[in-house]
Amino acid sequence: MLSINAGPFALAISHLLLLGALITATWVEARLVRHTLSRKTAVFGLFILGIATARIAFVLTYFPQYSEAPWKTLDIRDGGFLVWAGVICALLGGLIIGWRRPEQRRALTFGISIGLAIWVSGGFILDHYQKGNSLPDTTLRTLTGAPVRVSDYRGKPVVINLWATWCPPCRREMPVLRDMQRERKDITFLFVNQAESAGEVSDYLSKQQLVLSNSFLDPDGEFARQVGSAALPTTLFYSPDGRLIGSHLGELSSASLTHYLDK
């Protein structure tokens, strides 16, 4: 499973893992800090510092992709973060706080340690689960009705985008994916529409003047169920031998897509 629906919201499993680690770390620190004179907490503030640092580091690394629309650097919905930079900054902040406030040191250390342990171990399990998933042997349909087996595209890196015409973030990211498909001939891009007719998809692509190679239909959502996607847009990244090595829930920017392809 890559994502779940929680009422009107869709959450990636990786985001739930991070949220769970943060809540646990904050709770542990709050329980321990009650026995100190200051009763100050810092874990949540360090988390915000880490997120901000990770975003800034990402923007600086991929700034050419933001240069034409600098305001998009504030749109964190593209998932553009350099995790290592954020973790290092948060840990340094924790060391400084522990040095300046000795009475807070024990609670802060336990909170950070438990939060990191949950996040790292959960991430390892999730990564192991993802790498165990191979490119499904699902049969899709072309816009003319011809059958196509997804597993036939092994041999090159594969990027699969699950989308629908009624999905606003799907529509916004489509030009980014189209441009990358034109640029990266070493990667196979598949556009898999979810539960819409060939006429609806063809009309939309024609009106938007979107020329896409490998545009397919998943009429019953079978492919989405097999990969564990519960929301749109979802983008999947497969290695040449068909192993799932990454996934992204939500809109991709040029910078975040480049980051995934770099990895």
Side-chain angles (χ1 to χ4, degrees), residues 152-168:
D152 289 344
Y153 286 92
R154 291 182 181 181
K156 292 171 63 176
V158 179
V159 176
I160 301 180
N161 179 250
L162 307 183
W163 72 289
T165 63
W166 50 260
C167 166

Side-chain angles (χ1 to χ4, degrees), residues 213-232:
S213 299
N214 304 325
S215 184
F216 303 130
L217 304 175
D218 184 20
D220 302 316
E222 178 61 25
F223 180 83
R225 285 193 291 272
Q226 288 193 9
V227 299
S229 172
L232 300 177

Side-chain angles (χ1 to χ4, degrees), residues 28-263:
V28 169
E29 183 195 26
R31 293 282 295 181
L32 294 176
V33 84
R34 290 192 308 173
H35 305 292
T36 67
L37 294 176
S38 68
R39 297 192 176 183
K40 293 181 178 179
T41 59
V43 166
F44 187 77
L46 290 173
F47 172 77
I48 297 301
L49 174 65
I51 289 291
T53 302
R55 180 61 178 180
I56 292 170
F58 180 87
V59 169
L60 292 176
T61 302
Y62 294 96
F63 189 74
Q65 279 81 3
Y66 291 108
S67 58
E68 293 184 1
W71 60 88
K72 289 187 178 180
T73 60
L74 301 176
D75 188 358
I76 62 173
R77 292 175 300 177
D78 68 353
F81 299 93
L82 288 187
V83 175
W84 62 266
V87 170
I88 291 174
C89 187
L91 290 177
L92 287 175
L95 288 173
I96 293 172
I97 292 173
W99 174 66
R100 296 182 63 182
R101 304 177 191 167
E103 74 282 0
Q104 197 175 343
R105 194 175 298 159
R106 179 172 174 270
L108 184 59
T109 300
F110 271 92
I112 291 177
S113 299
I114 291 174
L116 279 177
I118 292 173
W119 184 50
V120 172
S121 59
F124 177 79
I125 293 171
L126 182 61
D127 184 64
H128 181 73
Y129 165 79
Q130 283 193 342
K131 289 183 177 178
N133 289 342
S134 59
L135 199 60
D137 193 25
T138 311
T139 298
L140 303 175
R141 296 283 172 179
T142 66
L143 297 183
T144 59
V148 175
R149 287 162 56 97
V150 178
S151 57
D152 289 344
Y153 286 92
R154 291 182 181 181
K156 292 171 63 176
V158 179
V159 176
I160 301 180
N161 179 250
L162 307 183
W163 72 289
T165 63
W166 50 260
C167 166
C170 299
R171 297 197 297 263
R172 289 195 299 267
E173 73 175 1
M174 193 62 70
V176 172
L177 290 160
R178 175 203 59 195
D179 293 345
M180 194 63 74
Q181 184 183 53
R182 292 174 177 174
E183 179 182 338
R184 295 295 300 268
K185 300 300 183 182
D186 57 318
I187 298 173
T188 299
F189 286 79
L190 309 182
F191 299 90
V192 182
N193 180 270
Q194 296 298 295
E196 293 185 292
S197 68
E200 289 175 305
V201 176
S202 297
D203 287 347
Y204 175 78
L205 295 178
S206 177
K207 289 177 181 177
Q208 299 299 317
Q209 298 182 342
L210 286 169
V211 179
L212 304 175
S213 299
N214 304 325
S215 184
F216 303 130
L217 304 175
D218 184 20
D220 302 316
E222 178 61 25
F223 180 83
R225 285 193 291 272
Q226 288 193 9
V227 299
S229 172
L232 300 177
T234 294
T235 307
L236 310 169
F237 302 86
Y238 289 90
S239 63
D241 60 354
R243 289 182 301 106
L244 180 66
I245 56 176
S247 64
H248 181 86
L249 171 64
E251 182 180 348
L252 283 164
S253 67
S254 177
S256 58
L257 178 56
T258 300
H259 177 61
Y260 275 107
L261 300 183
D262 285 346
K263 291 195 298 182

